[in-house]
Amino acid sequence: MKITHHLDDSTLMACAAGSQPEAMAAVVSSHLAVCPHCREELKKHSLIGEALFESLSPVPVTREAPVVAARSGELGSHPQGDVTHELPASLKSALAGAMDQVPWRRIAPGVWHCPIQLSEDALGDLRLLKVAAGTKLPEHGHGGNELTLVLEGSYSDEFGTFRRGDVADLGDDVEHRPVADPVEGCVCLVATDQKVRFKGLVARLMQPLTGI
């Protein structure tokens, strides 16, 4: 399987359609703010979506139709390719304006996290993860999708090295064991839409502590 340092096409399509869960959208918007390549790809997907929408045949008006039309109009009201990217208020609050002010909580030797509160009905999980230099995370898989954006330092796994600004867009068929940079360590913003599947006894004992 090929894993790039950019957002997957399916992720960009969901972003263009406005159908991403809140946690995933937070990582996507954060990555788009620093990645010209993915911003350009998102413009292409947005244009494709507009073309498909315009090619739809008219349908009889129903009680629900005005709502759908209004939403579609909102999506089409922006200039082509004009996408704004704003970090969610919950993330800004967690960062408190600086990375060194994040209220980290230790969950294992060399590993800290800071869960970020989502909307009441939001699905999935969003958190900051800090890993000390050279620390290996337990091998794990994913019950769903996982997006990891590197904010500081870097980490390596079976798919390569991910540095500041890079994003790992992983599906439910991926298992890996990230290792933080031996000098700088790593700080990441991580979103998942299902629980992580840890391997090994020690790793499984960690799971209740992380809540992931």
Side-chain angles (χ1 to χ4, degrees):
M1 173 180 294
K2 182 180 180 181
I3 302 294
T4 71
H5 294 58
H6 300 294
L7 295 168
D8 185 79
D9 280 341
S10 61
T11 301
L12 289 168
M13 288 174 62
C15 179
S19 60
Q20 283 180 321
E22 184 177 334
M24 296 293 180
V27 178
V28 169
S29 64
S30 300
H31 176 67
L32 287 172
V34 297
C35 182
H37 170 82
C38 287
R39 288 201 299 271
E40 191 62 33
E41 290 299 307
L42 179 59
K43 289 180 184 179
K44 296 177 184 178
H45 286 288
S46 297
L47 291 174
I48 292 172
E50 290 176 10
L52 290 174
F53 179 76
E54 290 175 359
S55 68
L56 295 176
S57 301
V59 295
V61 175
T62 65
R63 187 177 297 273
E64 290 78 17
V67 177
V68 176
R71 290 174 179 169
S72 300
E74 290 170 6
L75 290 175
S77 63
H78 301 288
Q80 291 184 348
D82 180 19
V83 181
T84 57
H85 314 294
E86 180 72 14
L87 292 177
S90 56
L91 179 55
K92 288 183 177 180
S93 175
L95 291 173
M99 192 70 71
D100 58 5
Q101 297 179 26
V102 173
W104 296 110
R105 183 161 67 92
R106 184 175 179 271
I107 55 175
V111 183
W112 300 262
H113 77 158
C114 175
I116 297 173
Q117 186 175 359
L118 300 173
S119 301
E120 184 176 354
D121 297 328
L123 301 177
D125 180 89
L126 179 66
R127 66 188 59 226
L128 291 164
L129 189 67
K130 180 180 179 180
V131 186
T135 300
K136 295 181 179 180
L137 293 179
E139 184 178 5
H140 62 277
H142 311 92
N145 298 311
E146 178 186 85
L147 284 175
T148 301
L149 173 65
V150 180
L151 301 177
E152 290 186 356
S154 67
Y155 76 88
S156 300
D157 63 9
E158 294 84 341
F159 306 106
T161 298
F162 295 81
R163 298 178 175 84
R164 184 174 182 176
D166 289 342
V167 66
D169 192 343
L170 306 180
D172 58 6
D173 56 344
V174 172
E175 293 185 353
H176 65 150
R177 188 179 188 186
V179 182
D181 181 85
V183 177
E184 296 183 285
C186 189
V187 177
C188 298
L189 178 64
V190 184
T192 57
D193 57 13
Q194 298 288 337
K195 286 187 176 295
V196 173
R197 299 191 302 265
F198 287 109
K199 288 192 168 186
L201 177 59
V202 175
R204 288 197 293 271
L205 290 174
M206 277 181 55
Q207 188 150 7
L209 298 176
T210 64
I212 301 177

